[in-house]
Structure formats: structure tokens, C-alpha cells
Amino acid sequence: IWLDSPGGSPADSLNVANALAGLNAQECWTVAYIPREARGDAAIIALACDDIVMGGTAVLGGPGAYALQDADELRVTVQAVRDVAEQKMRSPSLAAALIDGSVAVYRYTRQTDGAVEYYSEQDVRELPDAADWQRVGRPLGEPGKPLRLSGNEAAELGLAREVVENFAELKALYGLENDPTLVERGWADVLVDALNSPSVAWFLLVVGAVALYIELQTPGVGG
């Protein structure tokens, strides 16, 4: 999935994410390639893939083109993101923080074996061995804002598999000799979107009304 988006439609992003997360990884391995950005709800699509590969300065998460302001919408979206992250064995705390500025994530170290993970305070309290985890340092990102990660930061936190300079490095990483076929929008998709726009719908309604008026005023012409 070549992902380059500031987000803008959480419902559509969740639909795409759920479809990707539901694929059988043994039959279809999904990779989100982010050369520039996957901000806002677009990050949900990336999290639903088996691998995330980013440019070093590319952006994952953070404020996007659409702000989740309604409490119910935010709650439903955050829970869906957490579910997708858990399904792909990623930190649900980090995933939630990418779109919800109220989620503060810290670096934790387990005293028994030195393991390092990233949790919110609420998530760490729910662990069976919560007492063994010690919080280290300040929360990631800026307080009160969705977590915004560069490609290098996402790789350090375990969200991204690899950082690449360009598409050629991505192909080399997966042993792709030829360019994968890019599935792009065709003329039919563009036409459907145009017909669904409010302005075109009103225009077609006016045209239909005028045509009906002419037919009623001049019976037999269209017969």
C-alpha cells in the first residue's frame, strides 16, 4: 500500500484498515510504504498492514486533515485502532496516541529482565505483572497533541520495520525485481465521485425538472 495522505475520513480509513487486517498473512503479506506522510486517520491504514516501511523524515500519525472532536467518534475510533494494533502485534498504546492527543505514552522497563515496552499509564496498570514495570522519562511527543513520529522514530519504537531512502530500496528490501503494479483510480471511479458530489446532484435534478416541464408542455415530442 503506497500511502501518502493527511487523512480526512476516519470511517473510510477504518473500513480499509479492517479489510487489510482481515487478510490471511500466510496468503497475502501487506506492506504500508510511507514515503512522505500518513497523518491523522491515515495512520490507521498503516497500522493494519503486516509491515510498515517509511522514509526517514516521513510522518506517521499526528494532527491530520480531520480532527476527531466528537467524544463518541473519538472513543469508537481509538478502540478500533487499538484492536487493529493488537491484531498486528503492535503496541495499542502507541497506536491510540497517534490519533488521540489525550493518550500519554511512556517508555517502561521491566525490572525482572530489562525488557522495554511503551505503554500508557492506564494500560500498564492492567498488566498482570504491572508492579515489575518502571516508567522512564517523560511522555513521548507533545502533551495534548496526537503523537507524531518520523520514520526513524517509528522504527526505534518498533512500529516501522525499516527506513528506506526511496522506492528502489523498498523493492530491494523485499526482493522485488520488477515494479509492482500500481492500482490507480480509473475513469469510472472519477465519474462516480463526480456524480456523487452535491453540486452535480443539484445540476442533474434541475436538468431533470426542466426536461419534465418541457415534456409536459409539449406532449408527443418525446414520444
Side-chain angles (χ1 to χ4, degrees):
I1 308 296
W2 188 310
L3 192 54
D4 188 1
S5 171
S9 177
D12 290 333
S13 292
L14 283 173
N15 286 337
V16 174
N18 287 331
L20 290 170
L23 295 174
N24 186 342
Q26 294 182 344
E27 299 177 355
C28 178
W29 191 262
T30 54
V31 179
Y33 172 50
I34 308 172
R36 293 199 310 167
E37 63 178 5
R39 295 189 290 112
D41 55 88
I44 306 172
I45 299 175
L47 294 169
C49 293
D50 298 304
D51 282 345
I52 298 176
V53 179
M54 300 176 63
T57 59
V59 175
L60 177 66
Y66 180 88
L68 292 164
Q69 297 177 347
D70 180 81
D72 289 335
E73 182 183 36
L74 180 61
R75 175 181 53 79
V76 170
T77 304
V78 168
Q79 184 57 55
V81 172
R82 290 176 60 88
D83 292 343
V84 166
E86 289 181 338
Q87 192 170 347
K88 293 299 178 178
M89 304 300 290
R90 295 191 173 99
S91 165
S93 298
L94 283 174
L98 292 174
I99 62 170
D100 184 358
S102 69
V103 178
V105 178
Y106 297 84
R107 183 176 186 268
Y108 281 87
T109 302
R110 188 161 56 191
Q111 302 304 296
T112 55
D113 57 5
V116 174
E117 295 289 349
Y118 296 89
Y119 295 112
S120 66
E121 291 184 321
Q122 178 179 346
D123 283 345
V124 81
R125 284 196 297 266
E126 296 176 358
L127 296 174
D129 57 347
D132 295 333
W133 291 92
Q134 181 175 352
R135 196 178 77 185
V136 179
R138 299 172 57 84
L140 303 178
E142 298 182 49
K145 293 184 179 181
L147 182 61
R148 174 189 172 108
L149 299 175
S150 69
N152 292 319
E153 291 169 335
E156 290 176 4
L157 297 177
L159 288 180
R161 171 190 171 181
E162 199 74 46
V163 173
V164 297
E165 289 294 328
N166 48 46
F167 189 61
E169 287 193 10
L170 175 75
K171 292 195 298 178
L173 179 64
Y174 289 95
L176 302 174
E177 297 180 359
N178 301 313
D179 286 346
T181 302
L182 295 179
V183 180
E184 299 180 349
R185 288 160 53 86
W187 66 267
D189 300 302
V190 175
L191 177 61
V192 169
D193 285 347
L195 293 176
N196 282 333
S197 67
S199 58
V200 173
W202 275 107
F203 174 74
L204 294 176
L205 182 61
V206 171
V207 170
V210 171
L212 179 60
Y213 174 80
I214 294 174
E215 175 67 21
L216 293 175
Q217 295 301 313
T218 54
V221 172

Coordinates of all heavy atoms in Angstrom, one line a residue, residues 94-186:
L94 N 0.7 3.0 21.8 CA 1.3 3.9 20.7 C 0.3 4.1 19.6 O 0.2 5.3 19.1 CB 2.5 3.2 20.2 CG 3.8 3.3 21.0 CD1 4.9 2.4 20.3 CD2 4.2 4.7 21.2
A95 N -0.5 3.1 19.2 CA -1.4 3.3 18.1 C -2.5 4.3 18.5 O -2.9 5.1 17.7 CB -2.1 1.9 17.8
A96 N -3.0 4.2 19.7 CA -4.1 5.1 20.2 C -3.5 6.5 20.2 O -4.2 7.5 19.9 CB -4.6 4.7 21.5
A97 N -2.3 6.7 20.7 CA -1.6 8.0 20.8 C -1.5 8.7 19.5 O -1.4 9.9 19.4 CB -0.3 7.9 21.6
L98 N -1.3 7.9 18.4 CA -1.2 8.5 17.1 C -2.3 9.4 16.6 O -2.2 10.3 15.8 CB -0.9 7.5 16.0 CG 0.5 6.7 16.2 CD1 0.5 5.6 15.2 CD2 1.6 7.7 16.0
I99 N -3.5 9.1 17.2 CA -4.7 9.9 16.8 C -5.4 10.6 17.9 O -6.3 11.4 17.7 CB -5.7 8.9 16.0 CG1 -6.2 7.8 17.0 CG2 -5.1 8.4 14.8 CD1 -7.4 7.1 16.4
D100 N -5.0 10.2 19.2 CA -5.7 10.8 20.3 C -4.7 11.5 21.2 O -3.8 10.9 21.8 CB -6.4 9.7 21.1 CG -7.2 10.3 22.3 OD1 -7.2 11.5 22.5 OD2 -7.9 9.5 23.0
G101 N -4.8 12.9 21.2 CA -3.8 13.6 22.0 C -3.9 13.5 23.5 O -3.0 13.9 24.2
S102 N -5.0 12.9 24.0 CA -5.2 12.7 25.4 C -4.4 11.4 25.9 O -4.3 11.2 27.2 CB -6.6 12.6 25.8 OG -7.2 11.4 25.3
V103 N -3.9 10.6 25.0 CA -3.2 9.4 25.4 C -1.7 9.7 25.6 O -1.0 10.0 24.6 CB -3.4 8.3 24.4 CG1 -2.6 7.0 24.8 CG2 -4.9 7.9 24.3
A104 N -1.2 9.7 26.8 CA 0.2 9.9 27.0 C 0.9 8.5 27.1 O 0.5 7.7 28.0 CB 0.4 10.7 28.3
V105 N 2.0 8.4 26.3 CA 2.7 7.1 26.3 C 4.1 7.3 26.9 O 4.8 8.2 26.5 CB 2.8 6.5 24.9 CG1 3.6 5.2 24.8 CG2 1.4 6.3 24.3
Y106 N 4.5 6.4 27.7 CA 5.8 6.4 28.3 C 6.6 5.2 28.0 O 6.1 4.1 27.6 CB 5.7 6.5 29.9 CG 5.0 7.7 30.4 CD1 3.6 7.8 30.5 CD2 5.8 8.8 30.9 CE1 3.0 8.9 31.0 CE2 5.1 9.9 31.4 CZ 3.7 10.0 31.4 OH 3.1 11.1 31.9
R107 N 7.9 5.3 28.1 CA 8.8 4.2 28.0 C 8.9 3.4 29.3 O 9.1 4.1 30.4 CB 10.2 4.6 27.6 CG 11.3 3.5 27.4 CD 12.6 4.1 26.9 NE 13.6 3.1 26.5 CZ 14.5 2.7 27.3 NH1 14.5 3.1 28.6 NH2 15.3 1.8 26.9
Y108 N 8.7 2.1 29.3 CA 8.7 1.4 30.6 C 9.7 0.3 30.4 O 10.0 -0.3 29.4 CB 7.3 0.7 30.8 CG 6.3 1.6 31.4 CD1 5.5 2.4 30.6 CD2 6.1 1.7 32.8 CE1 4.5 3.3 31.1 CE2 5.2 2.5 33.3 CZ 4.4 3.3 32.5 OH 3.4 4.2 33.1
T109 N 10.4 0.0 31.5 CA 11.4 -1.1 31.6 C 11.0 -2.1 32.7 O 10.6 -1.7 33.8 CB 12.8 -0.6 32.0 OG1 13.2 0.4 31.0 CG2 13.8 -1.7 32.0
R110 N 11.0 -3.4 32.3 CA 10.6 -4.4 33.2 C 11.8 -4.8 34.1 O 12.9 -5.2 33.5 CB 10.1 -5.7 32.5 CG 9.5 -6.7 33.4 CD 8.6 -7.7 32.7 NE 9.2 -8.3 31.5 CZ 8.6 -9.0 30.6 NH1 7.3 -9.1 30.7 NH2 9.2 -9.5 29.6
Q111 N 11.7 -4.7 35.4 CA 12.8 -4.9 36.3 C 13.3 -6.3 36.3 O 14.5 -6.6 36.5 CB 12.4 -4.5 37.7 CG 11.9 -3.1 37.8 CD 12.9 -2.1 37.3 OE1 14.0 -2.0 37.9 NE2 12.5 -1.4 36.3
T112 N 12.5 -7.3 36.0 CA 12.9 -8.7 36.0 C 13.9 -9.1 34.9 O 14.8 -9.9 35.1 CB 11.7 -9.6 36.0 OG1 10.9 -9.3 34.8 CG2 10.9 -9.4 37.2
D113 N 13.7 -8.5 33.7 CA 14.6 -8.9 32.6 C 15.1 -7.8 31.7 O 15.8 -8.0 30.7 CB 13.9 -10.0 31.7 CG 12.6 -9.4 31.2 OD1 12.2 -8.3 31.4 OD2 11.8 -10.2 30.5
G114 N 14.7 -6.6 32.1 CA 15.2 -5.4 31.3 C 14.4 -5.2 30.0 O 14.9 -4.3 29.2
A115 N 13.3 -5.9 29.8 CA 12.5 -5.6 28.6 C 12.0 -4.2 28.5 O 11.7 -3.6 29.6 CB 11.4 -6.6 28.5
V116 N 11.9 -3.7 27.3 CA 11.4 -2.3 27.1 C 10.1 -2.3 26.3 O 10.1 -3.0 25.2 CB 12.5 -1.4 26.4 CG1 11.9 -0.1 26.1 CG2 13.7 -1.3 27.3
E117 N 9.1 -1.6 26.8 CA 7.9 -1.5 26.1 C 7.4 -0.1 26.2 O 7.9 0.7 27.1 CB 6.8 -2.5 26.6 CG 7.2 -3.9 26.3 CD 7.1 -4.4 24.9 OE1 6.5 -3.5 24.1 OE2 7.5 -5.5 24.5
Y118 N 6.3 0.3 25.4 CA 5.7 1.6 25.5 C 4.3 1.5 25.9 O 3.5 0.8 25.1 CB 5.9 2.3 24.2 CG 7.4 2.6 23.9 CD1 8.2 1.6 23.2 CD2 8.1 3.7 24.4 CE1 9.5 1.8 23.0 CE2 9.4 3.9 24.2 CZ 10.1 3.0 23.5 OH 11.5 3.2 23.3
Y119 N 3.9 2.1 27.0 CA 2.5 1.9 27.5 C 2.0 3.3 28.0 O 2.8 4.2 28.3 CB 2.4 1.0 28.7 CG 2.8 -0.4 28.4 CD1 4.0 -1.0 29.0 CD2 2.0 -1.3 27.7 CE1 4.3 -2.3 28.8 CE2 2.3 -2.6 27.5 CZ 3.4 -3.1 28.0 OH 3.7 -4.4 27.8
S120 N 0.7 3.4 28.0 CA 0.0 4.5 28.7 C -0.1 4.0 30.2 O 0.1 2.8 30.4 CB -1.4 4.8 28.1 OG -2.2 3.7 28.4
E121 N -0.3 5.0 31.1 CA -0.4 4.6 32.5 C -1.5 3.6 32.7 O -1.4 2.7 33.5 CB -0.5 5.8 33.3 CG 0.8 6.7 33.4 CD 0.7 7.8 34.3 OE1 -0.4 8.5 34.4 OE2 1.7 8.1 35.0
Q122 N -2.6 3.9 32.0 CA -3.8 3.0 32.2 C -3.5 1.6 31.7 O -3.8 0.6 32.4 CB -5.0 3.6 31.4 CG -6.2 2.7 31.5 CD -7.4 3.3 30.8 OE1 -7.4 4.4 30.4 NE2 -8.4 2.5 30.6
D123 N -2.8 1.5 30.6 CA -2.5 0.1 30.0 C -1.6 -0.6 30.9 O -1.7 -1.9 31.1 CB -2.0 0.2 28.6 CG -3.0 0.5 27.6 OD1 -4.2 0.4 27.9 OD2 -2.7 0.9 26.5
V124 N -0.6 0.1 31.5 CA 0.4 -0.7 32.3 C -0.2 -1.1 33.6 O 0.1 -2.2 34.2 CB 1.6 0.2 32.6 CG1 1.4 1.2 33.7 CG2 2.9 -0.6 32.9
R125 N -1.2 -0.4 34.1 CA -1.9 -0.8 35.3 C -2.7 -2.1 35.1 O -3.0 -2.9 36.1 CB -2.8 0.3 35.8 CG -2.1 1.4 36.5 CD -3.1 2.3 37.3 NE -4.1 2.9 36.5 CZ -4.0 4.1 36.0 NH1 -2.9 4.8 36.2 NH2 -5.0 4.6 35.2
E126 N -3.1 -2.4 33.9 CA -3.9 -3.6 33.6 C -3.0 -4.8 33.3 O -3.6 -5.9 33.1 CB -4.8 -3.3 32.4 CG -5.8 -2.2 32.7 CD -6.6 -1.9 31.4 OE1 -6.4 -2.5 30.4 OE2 -7.5 -1.0 31.5
L127 N -1.7 -4.7 33.3 CA -0.8 -5.8 33.1 C -0.8 -6.7 34.3 O -0.8 -6.2 35.5 CB 0.6 -5.3 32.8 CG 0.8 -4.5 31.5 CD1 2.2 -4.0 31.5 CD2 0.4 -5.4 30.3
P128 N -0.7 -8.0 34.1 CA -0.6 -8.9 35.3 C 0.6 -8.8 36.1 O 0.6 -9.0 37.3 CB -0.7 -10.3 34.7 CG -0.3 -10.1 33.2 CD -0.7 -8.8 32.9
D129 N 1.7 -8.3 35.5 CA 2.9 -8.0 36.2 C 3.2 -6.5 36.3 O 4.4 -6.1 36.2 CB 4.1 -8.7 35.6 CG 4.3 -8.3 34.1 OD1 3.4 -7.7 33.5 OD2 5.3 -8.7 33.5
A130 N 2.2 -5.7 36.5 CA 2.3 -4.3 36.5 C 3.3 -3.7 37.4 O 4.1 -2.8 37.1 CB 0.9 -3.6 36.8
A131 N 3.5 -4.4 38.6 CA 4.5 -3.9 39.6 C 5.9 -4.0 39.1 O 6.8 -3.4 39.7 CB 4.3 -4.7 40.9
D132 N 6.1 -4.9 38.1 CA 7.5 -5.1 37.6 C 7.9 -4.0 36.6 O 9.1 -3.9 36.3 CB 7.6 -6.5 37.0 CG 7.5 -7.6 38.0 OD1 7.7 -7.4 39.2 OD2 7.0 -8.7 37.5
W133 N 7.0 -3.2 36.1 CA 7.3 -2.2 35.1 C 7.6 -0.9 35.7 O 6.8 -0.4 36.5 CB 6.2 -2.2 34.1 CG 6.0 -3.4 33.2 CD1 5.3 -4.5 33.5 CD2 6.8 -3.7 32.0 NE1 5.4 -5.4 32.5 CE2 6.3 -5.0 31.6 CE3 7.7 -3.0 31.3 CZ2 6.8 -5.5 30.4 CZ3 8.2 -3.5 30.1 CH2 7.7 -4.8 29.7
Q134 N 8.7 -0.3 35.3 CA 9.1 1.0 35.9 C 9.1 2.1 34.7 O 9.7 1.9 33.7 CB 10.5 1.0 36.5 CG 10.9 2.3 37.1 CD 12.2 2.2 37.8 OE1 12.7 1.1 38.0 NE2 12.8 3.4 38.2
R135 N 8.4 3.2 35.0 CA 8.3 4.2 34.0 C 9.6 5.0 33.9 O 10.2 5.3 34.9 CB 7.2 5.2 34.3 CG 6.7 6.1 33.2 CD 5.6 7.0 33.6 NE 6.0 8.1 34.5 CZ 5.2 9.0 35.1 NH1 3.9 8.8 34.9 NH2 5.7 9.9 35.8
V136 N 10.0 5.3 32.7 CA 11.3 6.0 32.4 C 11.0 7.3 31.7 O 10.4 7.3 30.6 CB 12.3 5.1 31.7 CG1 13.6 5.9 31.4 CG2 12.5 3.8 32.4
G137 N 11.4 8.4 32.2 CA 11.4 9.7 31.5 C 10.0 10.3 31.3 O 9.1 9.9 31.9
R138 N 10.0 11.2 30.4 CA 8.8 12.0 30.1 C 7.9 11.3 29.0 O 8.5 10.4 28.3 CB 9.1 13.4 29.6 CG 9.9 14.2 30.6 CD 10.4 15.5 30.0 NE 9.4 16.3 29.5 CZ 8.6 17.1 30.2 NH1 8.8 17.2 31.5 NH2 7.6 17.9 29.7
P139 N 6.7 11.7 28.9 CA 5.9 11.1 27.8 C 6.4 11.4 26.4 O 7.0 12.5 26.2 CB 4.5 11.7 28.1 CG 4.7 12.9 28.8 CD 5.9 12.7 29.6
L140 N 6.1 10.6 25.5 CA 6.5 10.8 24.1 C 5.7 11.9 23.5 O 4.5 12.1 23.8 CB 6.3 9.5 23.2 CG 7.0 8.3 23.7 CD1 6.7 7.1 22.8 CD2 8.5 8.5 23.8
G141 N 6.3 12.7 22.6 CA 5.5 13.7 21.9 C 5.2 14.9 22.7 O 5.7 15.2 23.8
E142 N 4.3 15.8 22.1 CA 3.9 17.0 22.8 C 2.6 16.7 23.6 O 1.7 16.1 23.0 CB 3.6 18.1 21.7 CG 4.8 18.5 20.9 CD 4.5 19.6 20.0 OE1 3.9 20.6 20.4 OE2 4.8 19.5 18.8
P143 N 2.5 17.2 24.8 CA 1.3 17.0 25.6 C 0.1 17.6 25.0 O 0.1 18.7 24.5 CB 1.7 17.7 26.9 CG 3.2 17.8 27.0 CD 3.6 17.9 25.5
G144 N -1.0 16.8 25.0 CA -2.3 17.3 24.4 C -2.4 17.2 22.9 O -3.5 17.5 22.4
K145 N -1.4 16.7 22.2 CA -1.5 16.6 20.8 C -1.2 15.1 20.4 O -0.5 14.4 21.0 CB -0.4 17.4 20.1 CG -0.6 18.9 20.3 CD 0.4 19.7 19.5 CE 0.1 21.2 19.6 NZ 1.1 22.0 18.8
P146 N -1.9 14.7 19.3 CA -1.7 13.3 18.8 C -0.2 13.1 18.5 O 0.5 14.0 18.0 CB -2.5 13.2 17.5 CG -3.6 14.2 17.7 CD -2.9 15.4 18.5
L147 N 0.3 11.9 18.8 CA 1.7 11.6 18.7 C 2.1 11.6 17.2 O 1.5 10.9 16.4 CB 2.0 10.2 19.3 CG 3.4 9.7 19.2 CD1 4.4 10.6 20.0 CD2 3.5 8.3 19.8
R148 N 3.2 12.3 16.9 CA 3.7 12.5 15.5 C 5.1 11.9 15.5 O 6.0 12.3 16.2 CB 3.7 13.9 15.1 CG 4.3 14.3 13.8 CD 4.5 15.8 13.6 NE 5.2 16.1 12.4 CZ 4.7 16.7 11.3 NH1 3.4 16.9 11.3 NH2 5.4 17.0 10.3
L149 N 5.3 10.9 14.6 CA 6.5 10.2 14.6 C 7.2 10.3 13.2 O 6.5 10.1 12.2 CB 6.4 8.7 14.9 CG 5.8 8.3 16.3 CD1 5.6 6.8 16.4 CD2 6.8 8.8 17.4
S150 N 8.5 10.5 13.2 CA 9.2 10.4 11.9 C 9.5 8.9 11.6 O 9.2 8.0 12.5 CB 10.5 11.1 12.0 OG 11.4 10.5 12.9
G151 N 9.9 8.6 10.4 CA 10.2 7.3 10.1 C 11.3 6.7 11.0 O 11.1 5.5 11.5
N152 N 12.3 7.4 11.3 CA 13.4 7.0 12.2 C 12.8 6.7 13.6 O 13.2 5.7 14.2 CB 14.5 8.0 12.3 CG 15.3 8.1 11.0 OD1 15.5 7.1 10.3 ND2 15.6 9.3 10.6
E153 N 11.9 7.6 14.1 CA 11.3 7.4 15.4 C 10.4 6.2 15.4 O 10.4 5.4 16.4 CB 10.6 8.6 15.8 CG 11.5 9.8 16.1 CD 10.7 11.1 16.3 OE1 9.6 11.2 15.7 OE2 11.2 12.0 16.9
A154 N 9.6 6.0 14.4 CA 8.7 4.8 14.3 C 9.5 3.5 14.3 O 9.1 2.5 14.9 CB 7.8 4.9 13.1
A155 N 10.6 3.5 13.7 CA 11.5 2.3 13.7 C 12.1 2.0 15.0 O 12.1 0.9 15.5 CB 12.6 2.5 12.6
E156 N 12.5 3.1 15.7 CA 13.0 2.9 17.1 C 12.0 2.4 18.0 O 12.3 1.6 19.0 CB 13.6 4.3 17.6 CG 14.8 4.7 16.9 CD 15.3 6.1 17.3 OE1 14.6 6.6 18.3 OE2 16.2 6.7 16.8
L157 N 10.7 2.8 17.9 CA 9.7 2.4 18.8 C 9.1 1.0 18.4 O 8.2 0.5 19.0 CB 8.6 3.4 18.8 CG 9.0 4.8 19.4 CD1 7.8 5.8 19.3 CD2 9.5 4.7 20.8
G158 N 9.5 0.5 17.2 CA 9.0 -0.8 16.8 C 7.8 -0.8 16.0 O 7.2 -1.9 15.7
L159 N 7.3 0.4 15.6 CA 6.1 0.5 14.7 C 6.4 0.2 13.3 O 5.7 -0.4 12.6 CB 5.4 1.8 14.9 CG 4.7 2.1 16.2 CD1 4.1 3.5 16.2 CD2 3.6 1.0 16.4
A160 N 7.6 0.7 12.8 CA 8.0 0.5 11.5 C 9.1 -0.5 11.4 O 9.9 -0.6 12.3 CB 8.6 1.9 10.9
R161 N 9.0 -1.3 10.4 CA 10.0 -2.4 10.2 C 11.4 -1.8 9.8 O 12.4 -2.2 10.2 CB 9.6 -3.4 9.2 CG 10.7 -4.4 8.9 CD 10.3 -5.3 7.7 NE 11.5 -6.1 7.3 CZ 11.5 -7.0 6.3 NH1 10.5 -7.2 5.6 NH2 12.7 -7.6 6.0
E162 N 11.3 -0.9 8.8 CA 12.5 -0.4 8.2 C 12.4 1.0 7.7 O 11.3 1.5 7.5 CB 12.9 -1.3 7.0 CG 14.3 -1.2 6.5 CD 15.3 -2.0 7.4 OE1 15.0 -3.1 7.8 OE2 16.3 -1.4 7.7
V163 N 13.5 1.7 7.6 CA 13.5 3.1 7.0 C 14.3 3.0 5.7 O 15.4 2.4 5.6 CB 14.2 4.1 7.9 CG1 14.4 5.4 7.2 CG2 13.4 4.2 9.2
V164 N 13.7 3.5 4.6 CA 14.4 3.4 3.3 C 14.4 4.8 2.7 O 13.7 5.7 3.1 CB 13.6 2.5 2.3 CG1 13.6 1.1 2.8 CG2 12.2 3.0 2.1
E165 N 15.4 5.0 1.8 CA 15.5 6.3 1.1 C 14.6 6.5 0.0 O 14.2 7.6 -0.3 CB 17.0 6.4 0.6 CG 18.0 6.6 1.7 CD 17.9 7.9 2.5 OE1 17.5 8.9 1.9 OE2 18.2 7.9 3.7
N166 N 14.2 5.4 -0.7 CA 13.3 5.6 -1.9 C 12.7 4.2 -2.2 O 12.9 3.2 -1.5 CB 14.2 6.0 -3.1 CG 15.5 5.2 -3.3 OD1 15.4 4.0 -3.2 ND2 16.6 5.9 -3.5
F167 N 11.9 4.2 -3.3 CA 11.1 3.0 -3.7 C 12.1 1.9 -4.1 O 11.8 0.7 -3.9 CB 10.2 3.4 -4.8 CG 9.2 2.3 -5.2 CD1 8.3 1.8 -4.2 CD2 9.2 1.7 -6.4 CE1 7.4 0.8 -4.5 CE2 8.3 0.7 -6.7 CZ 7.4 0.3 -5.8
A168 N 13.2 2.3 -4.7 CA 14.2 1.2 -5.1 C 14.7 0.5 -3.9 O 14.8 -0.8 -4.0 CB 15.4 1.9 -5.8
E169 N 14.9 1.1 -2.8 CA 15.3 0.4 -1.6 C 14.2 -0.5 -1.0 O 14.5 -1.5 -0.4 CB 15.8 1.4 -0.5 CG 17.1 2.1 -0.8 CD 17.7 2.8 0.4 OE1 17.1 2.7 1.5 OE2 18.7 3.5 0.2
L170 N 13.0 0.0 -1.2 CA 11.8 -0.8 -0.7 C 11.8 -2.1 -1.5 O 11.6 -3.2 -1.0 CB 10.5 -0.1 -0.9 CG 9.3 -0.9 -0.6 CD1 9.1 -1.1 0.9 CD2 8.0 -0.2 -1.2
K171 N 12.0 -2.0 -2.9 CA 12.0 -3.2 -3.7 C 13.1 -4.2 -3.3 O 12.9 -5.4 -3.3 CB 12.1 -2.8 -5.2 CG 10.9 -2.1 -5.7 CD 10.9 -2.1 -7.3 CE 12.1 -1.3 -7.8 NZ 12.2 -1.3 -9.3
A172 N 14.3 -3.6 -3.1 CA 15.4 -4.4 -2.7 C 15.2 -5.1 -1.3 O 15.6 -6.3 -1.1 CB 16.7 -3.6 -2.6
L173 N 14.5 -4.4 -0.4 CA 14.2 -5.0 0.9 C 13.4 -6.3 0.8 O 13.6 -7.2 1.5 CB 13.5 -3.9 1.7 CG 13.1 -4.4 3.2 CD1 14.3 -4.7 4.0 CD2 12.3 -3.3 3.8
Y174 N 12.4 -6.3 -0.2 CA 11.5 -7.4 -0.3 C 11.9 -8.3 -1.5 O 11.1 -9.2 -1.9 CB 10.1 -7.0 -0.4 CG 9.6 -6.4 0.9 CD1 9.6 -5.0 1.2 CD2 9.1 -7.3 1.9 CE1 9.2 -4.5 2.4 CE2 8.6 -6.8 3.1 CZ 8.7 -5.4 3.3 OH 8.3 -4.9 4.5
G175 N 13.0 -8.0 -2.2 CA 13.5 -8.9 -3.3 C 12.6 -8.8 -4.5 O 12.4 -9.8 -5.2
L176 N 12.1 -7.6 -4.8 CA 11.2 -7.4 -5.9 C 12.0 -7.0 -7.1 O 12.6 -5.9 -7.1 CB 10.1 -6.3 -5.6 CG 9.2 -6.6 -4.4 CD1 8.3 -5.4 -4.1 CD2 8.4 -7.8 -4.6
E177 N 12.1 -7.8 -8.1 CA 12.9 -7.5 -9.3 C 12.2 -6.4 -10.2 O 12.9 -5.5 -10.7 CB 13.1 -8.7 -10.1 CG 14.0 -9.8 -9.4 CD 14.2 -11.0 -10.2 OE1 13.7 -11.0 -11.3 OE2 14.9 -11.9 -9.7
N178 N 10.9 -6.5 -10.3 CA 10.2 -5.6 -11.2 C 9.3 -4.7 -10.3 O 8.9 -5.0 -9.2 CB 9.3 -6.3 -12.2 CG 10.1 -7.2 -13.1 OD1 11.2 -6.8 -13.6 ND2 9.7 -8.5 -13.2
D179 N 8.9 -3.6 -10.9 CA 8.0 -2.7 -10.1 C 6.6 -3.4 -9.9 O 6.1 -3.9 -10.9 CB 7.7 -1.4 -10.9 CG 8.9 -0.5 -10.9 OD1 9.8 -0.7 -10.0 OD2 9.0 0.5 -11.7
P180 N 6.1 -3.3 -8.7 CA 4.7 -3.9 -8.5 C 3.7 -3.0 -9.3 O 3.9 -1.9 -9.6 CB 4.5 -3.7 -7.0 CG 5.9 -3.5 -6.4 CD 6.7 -2.9 -7.5
T181 N 2.7 -3.7 -9.7 CA 1.6 -3.0 -10.5 C 0.9 -2.0 -9.6 O 0.4 -2.5 -8.5 CB 0.7 -4.0 -11.1 OG1 1.4 -4.8 -12.0 CG2 -0.4 -3.3 -11.9
L182 N 0.8 -0.8 -9.9 CA 0.1 0.2 -9.1 C -1.3 0.3 -9.5 O -1.6 0.5 -10.7 CB 0.8 1.6 -9.2 CG 2.2 1.7 -8.7 CD1 2.7 3.2 -9.0 CD2 2.3 1.4 -7.2
V183 N -2.2 0.0 -8.6 CA -3.6 0.1 -8.8 C -4.1 1.5 -8.6 O -4.1 2.0 -7.5 CB -4.4 -0.9 -7.9 CG1 -5.9 -0.8 -8.2 CG2 -3.9 -2.3 -8.1
E184 N -4.5 2.2 -9.7 CA -4.9 3.6 -9.6 C -6.4 3.7 -10.0 O -7.0 2.9 -10.6 CB -4.0 4.4 -10.6 CG -2.6 4.4 -10.2 CD -1.7 5.2 -11.2 OE1 -2.3 5.7 -12.2 OE2 -0.5 5.5 -10.9
R185 N -6.9 4.9 -9.6 CA -8.3 5.2 -9.9 C -8.5 5.3 -11.4 O -7.8 6.0 -12.1 CB -8.7 6.5 -9.2 CG -8.9 6.4 -7.7 CD -8.8 7.7 -7.1 NE -9.7 8.7 -7.6 CZ -11.0 8.8 -7.3 NH1 -11.5 8.1 -6.3 NH2 -11.8 9.7 -7.8
G186 N -9.6 4.6 -11.9 CA -9.9 4.7 -13.3 C -10.9 5.8 -13.6 O -11.4 6.4 -12.7

